[in-house]
Amino acid sequence: DVPPRACAPHKRFCSVDCYETWWNEQRSNRVTRSQVAEKIHGPAVNVALSDVQAAWIAGLIDGEGCISIWRERRTGNRSGFRYYAMVQVANTNRLLLDTIARVIPGKVYLKDARKKLANHKPLFMFAVARRSVGTVLACIAPFLVIKKRQAEIAMQFRRVIEGAPMRTFQDHETLAELWAENRALNKRGVN
């Protein structure tokens, strides 16, 4: 009996039956989401920052960054939603973001929102790799001031997600509550 495996580098399965068989195996073994992510993507990168690096990155995130929980509609999910935590920093100086990327796993990309206006510099974004969000926040949380509560919510969110068995939905209410609280804290304008 050959276990189903991913057939392409992007973890797509060769058929729907292959995909369903793999998921049923995960569910029957009571495998957690973090264990499945480790099987698919390999072990998460361990982030170790010095106090100086953690304080510097915390200052950047407090001033130019965002700690948020995203929710997107997924018709295939029983809950109807998919949640994930994000940590991002925006700046017009790519060198600054490339410096962060050398210390923390993530990606620097050009955000196209400002590209349309001729008198604006291009805006770059650094997004922390999703599997590293929890460890990065644990390193920088003691140094955060403005976004300390958002970091606490995101770390709690990561603990719930990582500890939940695959294909279970009892944590949906908890995820929705954490998403709503984070969204209220990140709301623009005067409260």
Side-chain angles (χ1 to χ4, degrees):
D1 205 22
V2 178
R5 63 178 184 77
C7 300
H10 300 296
K11 310 304 179 241
R12 296 179 194 246
F13 291 84
C14 54
S15 69
V16 173
D17 291 336
C18 182
Y19 174 77
E20 284 301 320
T21 303
W22 184 80
W23 272 122
N24 289 334
E25 178 186 306
Q26 303 311 309
R27 184 174 55 227
S28 65
N29 292 338
R30 304 299 289 168
V31 176
T32 64
R33 291 177 179 156
S34 63
Q35 290 169 329
V36 169
E38 190 168 318
K39 284 181 185 178
I40 293 173
H41 305 292
V45 177
N46 189 16
V47 178
L49 300 174
S50 69
D51 283 351
V52 172
Q53 291 171 323
W56 176 69
I57 292 169
L60 286 172
I61 291 172
D62 263 341
E64 301 288 331
C66 179
I67 301 171
S68 60
I69 297 172
W70 287 75
R71 180 173 85 167
E72 60 184 32
R73 289 206 179 277
R74 285 291 175 132
T75 55
N77 290 357
R78 283 189 209 163
S79 66
F81 298 103
R82 176 179 155 205
Y83 298 91
Y84 53 92
M86 291 284 294
V87 176
Q88 298 174 318
V89 179
N91 204 288
T92 57
N93 187 329
R94 178 155 187 157
L95 178 62
L96 174 71
L97 301 180
D98 286 337
T99 304
I100 298 171
R102 284 195 294 271
V103 179
I104 296 176
K107 180 181 176 182
V108 177
Y109 60 94
L110 178 65
K111 187 167 169 77
D112 61 354
R114 293 192 173 195
K115 176 165 77 165
K116 298 174 186 172
L117 301 172
N119 61 341
H120 283 208
K121 294 179 184 177
L123 181 66
F124 296 96
M125 296 286 288
F126 171 76
V128 175
R130 286 187 191 171
R131 296 193 58 221
S132 299
V133 166
T135 56
V136 168
L137 288 176
C139 290
I140 67 169
F143 302 100
L144 288 169
V145 177
I146 300 169
K147 295 185 172 72
K148 190 170 199 70
R149 181 64 188 143
Q150 286 95 322
E152 291 168 354
I153 293 168
M155 288 189 295
Q156 183 181 356
F157 171 84
R158 292 292 305 162
R159 284 190 297 272
V160 170
I161 287 288
E162 289 174 1
M166 290 305 299
R167 295 256 173 134
T168 57
F169 302 98
Q170 62 266 33
D171 294 325
H172 176 68
E173 288 181 17
T174 305
L175 298 177
E177 289 171 7
L178 292 170
W179 171 79
E181 185 178 354
N182 183 272
R183 185 175 182 198
L185 289 169
N186 287 333
K187 186 176 181 181
R188 289 184 178 184
V190 179
N191 292 335

